[in-house]
Amino acid sequence: MNSARNAPPLHSVAEIVERLQSLPQFKGIRFATLTGRDDDTTKSQVMADFEAGITPILVATTVIEVGVDVAKASCIVIFDADRYGLSQLHQLRGRVGRGGTDSGAFLISRAPADSDAARRLDVIQGTLDGAEIAQADLEFRGAGDVLGDAQSGGKTGLKLLRVVKDMKIIEQARAEATQLVAADPDLLGFVQLAGAVLDFTRGNEMFLTSN
């Protein structure tokens, strides 16, 4: 049985804001919200107000995972923490304490204590070493999302590579692919490769060949 189907629903931004605003200790304090559905103008204004302290509490989705640098931010609470990868959690908690202030990250989880999800959170609790966390994340999740095709482990389409063992090869391939796409975004000079990518994105990777 798929455990994801039995998992409690994710908390929503609207739900969290409503719950917090109902608490007496937050009376009179302004809240801001931010999600991936907000346009760029809204995002810029929300972040400017948050950084200035006009809205001292920001309730957001993982849209804040990277690119947010608010020196005074000192506390982050991550709901449904067991539903995220370790590297993502590490990025999220890195949004606070960036100005050298004392900071804390609180991970809220409804995962059973003896589950893999809970054991993954133990890794986050035990280290701040990004490389160690990334390695643990790969070992827990498997190779499923190395190619951006899945969010959790199990089976992998990498038949000749193993993510942890062959990390250097994978990193080199990713770097070369990034350079290639930057130089030739439409792969006009690499017709066979463009066709292979199209096949892969359509789920026809079984027909891929090399020469």
Side-chain angles (χ1 to χ4, degrees):
M1 182 177 294
N2 188 342
S3 59
R5 295 179 180 177
N6 299 325
L10 295 173
H11 291 84
S12 70
V13 167
E15 174 193 353
I16 295 301
V17 169
E18 183 179 358
R19 287 170 58 182
L20 292 179
Q21 288 180 330
S22 68
L23 298 175
Q25 55 265 48
F26 291 116
K27 184 177 181 180
I29 296 179
R30 294 183 60 182
F31 285 76
T33 64
L34 192 63
T35 74
R37 294 188 298 272
D38 293 318
D39 58 41
D40 291 342
T41 301
T42 300
K43 290 177 182 177
S44 297
Q45 186 62 58
V46 167
M47 291 310 304
D49 289 348
F50 179 56
E51 186 170 9
I54 296 173
T55 48
I57 298 178
L58 173 63
V59 182
T61 63
T62 54
V63 69
I64 63 160
E65 181 180 350
V66 294
V68 174
D69 189 4
V70 179
K72 294 181 181 179
S74 59
C75 179
I76 184 170
V77 180
I78 305 171
F79 285 87
D80 305 306
D82 53 284
R83 310 286 278 274
Y84 301 110
L86 296 184
S87 295
Q88 189 173 26
L89 290 172
H90 185 55
Q91 289 281 357
L92 287 169
R93 72 175 174 183
R95 297 310 95 199
V96 299
R98 301 176 71 83
T101 59
D102 290 336
S103 61
F106 299 87
L107 276 59
I108 310 300
S109 168
R110 291 176 284 187
D114 59 346
S115 65
D116 282 345
R119 284 187 281 272
R120 287 192 295 110
L121 295 182
D122 287 339
V123 173
I124 282 288
Q125 182 182 15
T127 183
L128 293 173
D129 187 325
E132 182 179 339
I133 289 169
Q135 173 109 355
D137 201 14
L138 288 172
E139 292 173 351
F140 271 113
R141 289 151 62 93
D145 70 340
V146 172
L147 299 179
D149 190 48
Q151 289 300 315
S152 58
K155 298 180 179 179
T156 170
L158 301 180
K159 297 179 175 59
L160 300 180
L161 298 179
R162 290 297 175 266
V163 173
V164 175
K165 178 181 177 182
D166 299 301
M167 175 62 72
K168 290 184 178 180
I169 297 176
I170 295 171
E171 289 178 344
Q172 181 181 350
R174 186 186 296 275
E176 291 182 2
T178 299
Q179 293 175 1
L180 176 62
V181 172
D184 186 0
D186 297 321
L187 299 178
L188 297 177
F190 302 89
V191 178
Q192 287 184 317
L193 178 58
V197 171
L198 185 60
D199 276 340
F200 184 84
T201 57
R202 289 177 174 176
N204 298 327
E205 60 268 23
M206 67 180 66
F207 301 114
L208 297 184
T209 60
S210 62
N211 53 27

